[in-house]
Amino acid sequence: MDQRTAWAGHAIPAGATTGINRILRLGAVLDRTGLGRSTLYAMVKLGHFPPQVTLSLRTVGWLEADVEAWIQQRVQGSLPP
């Protein structure tokens, strides 16, 4: 199967990394960030954390790349100059 073969009927563009487009559910986001649920949602509401992506009527997730970028920003911001 070609790397650009369809996922769920949609072609993956050449050069795209499938891991970047991975969607993380709430538990995985909490594990990766160390945040609590209410803190996470408060930060989303204030624009301090990437917004969630609606997956279905009652299901949301976050793009892995957005979560990783947020973590890297926090790390960079905490390093001494």
Side-chain angles (χ1 to χ4, degrees):
M1 207 176 241
D2 181 75
Q3 287 183 342
R4 294 177 294 153
T5 302
W7 169 80
H10 298 95
I12 298 170
T17 306
T18 55
I20 289 176
N21 295 324
R22 186 172 163 198
I23 295 176
L24 302 175
R25 297 293 306 275
L26 178 62
V29 173
L30 298 179
D31 285 344
R32 287 193 182 194
T33 62
L35 298 172
R37 178 185 173 132
S38 58
T39 300
L40 175 77
Y41 281 111
M43 291 179 76
V44 168
K45 186 175 181 177
L46 293 171
H48 298 162
F49 194 84
Q52 63 269 32
V53 175
T54 301
L55 302 175
S56 69
L57 187 59
R58 294 196 268 171
T59 307
V60 298
W62 284 261
L63 291 176
E64 183 176 33
D66 290 348
V67 173
E68 291 301 320
W70 181 87
I71 291 169
Q72 289 305 313
Q73 289 173 348
R74 295 299 241 196
V75 170
Q76 293 299 320
S78 67
L79 295 176

